[in-house]
């Protein structure tokens, strides 16, 4: 369930004019910018950008980038991109930082159609997104049994990068993989992630562990990303921005609910505590906590 609060209809000419006014004069009206863009869905934001550029002969994204700064500017920049462009930018930044966990997060939480759009925008998203993953909800119990055995043998022999492990994790549908993970637990007496726990310090094992957790329960995985970002010494604003911006129009309400269950404090409260100013206002607005 999404948290974004947006009207069914809006006038892109009025919105474009409001944004133009917010960017003119001696001081930028950050609150005015938030009131427009944080109450518009992706389709509406796209039309606003097109209208703005037709009316004023300049890029709205570039203008906002010039007017804003810091975490707020980075969050707004990603919010204003089309979803597939946003994920491609996030992937590009992650690859430059060798942050494989972000690549895993993107590739394991997106649908096949979304991944195709991302690949078109950015052609290097590692093997997880360069192969075709089946999207069927139908599962094959016998296949789950056979592939659970393959995974068990590879893990037992510490062959974490074995071609069969890669093939299974990158080509099977998410539903089939979840069935395989449950079969692994039933057949071998422990979840597959527990079987990996002993060697978790190795990069390959840590990556495999993240892939499995993200595929098995993306909501739980993303909630942990946010929780860790809040608890890290020196808040990880990039992770907070990434999750809220990419999930506000999808399932952020579920992440928010789980966050409260696990931390006994609301996500709204944590954001207000760990962030400040226009950046805080931006996040709380797409979380659905601040209205016009």
């Amino acid at each position: 369930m999404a948290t974004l609060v947006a009207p069914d209809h809006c006038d892109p000419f009025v919105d474009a004019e409001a944004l133009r006014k917010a960017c003119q004069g001696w001081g930028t009206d950050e609150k005015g910018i938030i009131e427009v863009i944080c109450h518009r869905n992706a389709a509406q934001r796209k039309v606003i950008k097109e209208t703005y550029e037709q009316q004023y002969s300049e890029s709205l994204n570039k203008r906002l980038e010039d007017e804003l700064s810091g975490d707020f500017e980075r969050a707004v920049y990603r919010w204003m991109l089309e979803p597939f462009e946003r994920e491609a930018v996030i992937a590009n930044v992650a690859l430059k930082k060798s942050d494989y966990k972000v690549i895993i997060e993107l590739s394991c939480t997106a649908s096949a159609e979304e991944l195709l759009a991302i690949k078109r925008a950015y052609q290097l998203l590692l093997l997880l997104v360069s192969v075709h993953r089946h999207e069927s909800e139908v599962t094959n119990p016998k296949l789950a049994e056979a592939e659970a055995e393959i995974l068990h043998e590879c893990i037992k022999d510490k062959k974490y990068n074995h071609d069969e492990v890669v093939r299974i994790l990158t080509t099977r549908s998410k539903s089939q993989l979840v069935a395989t993970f449950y079969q692994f637990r039933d057949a071998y007496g422990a979840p597959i992630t527990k079987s990996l726990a002993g060697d978790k310090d190795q990069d390959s094992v840590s990556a495999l562990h993240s892939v499995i957790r993200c595929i098995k329960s993306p909501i739980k995985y993303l909630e942990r990303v946010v929780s860790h970002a809040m608890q890290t010494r020196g808040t990880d604003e990039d992770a907070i921005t990434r999750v809220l911006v990419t999930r506000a129009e999808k399932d952020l309400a579920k992440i928010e609910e789980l966050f409260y269950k696990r931390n006994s404090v609301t996500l709204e409260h944590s954001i207000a505590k760990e962030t400040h100013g226009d950046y805080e206002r931006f996040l709380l607005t797409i979380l659905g906590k601040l209205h016009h």
Side-chain angles (χ1 to χ4, degrees), residues 36-70:
V36 175
I37 66 172
C38 293
H39 291 290
R40 302 292 183 266
N41 61 36
Q44 292 167 339
R45 296 195 302 273
K46 180 180 180 182
V47 175
I48 292 169
K49 285 192 296 181
E50 293 170 349
T51 303
Y52 183 95
E53 290 168 16
Q54 290 169 3
Q55 291 289 105
Y56 305 111
S57 299
E58 68 173 2
S59 164
L60 176 57
N61 283 4
K62 183 65 171 65
R63 184 60 185 264
L64 292 173
E65 190 177 1
D66 291 342
E67 294 290 333
L68 309 176
S69 61

Side-chain angles (χ1 to χ4, degrees), residues 154-170:
C154 289
I155 291 171
K156 185 181 70 173
D157 295 338
K158 300 185 183 300
K159 296 179 179 178
Y160 306 116
N161 289 322
H162 194 281
D163 288 348
E164 283 292 274
V165 175
V166 174
R167 178 188 63 79
I168 291 168
L169 293 178
T170 60

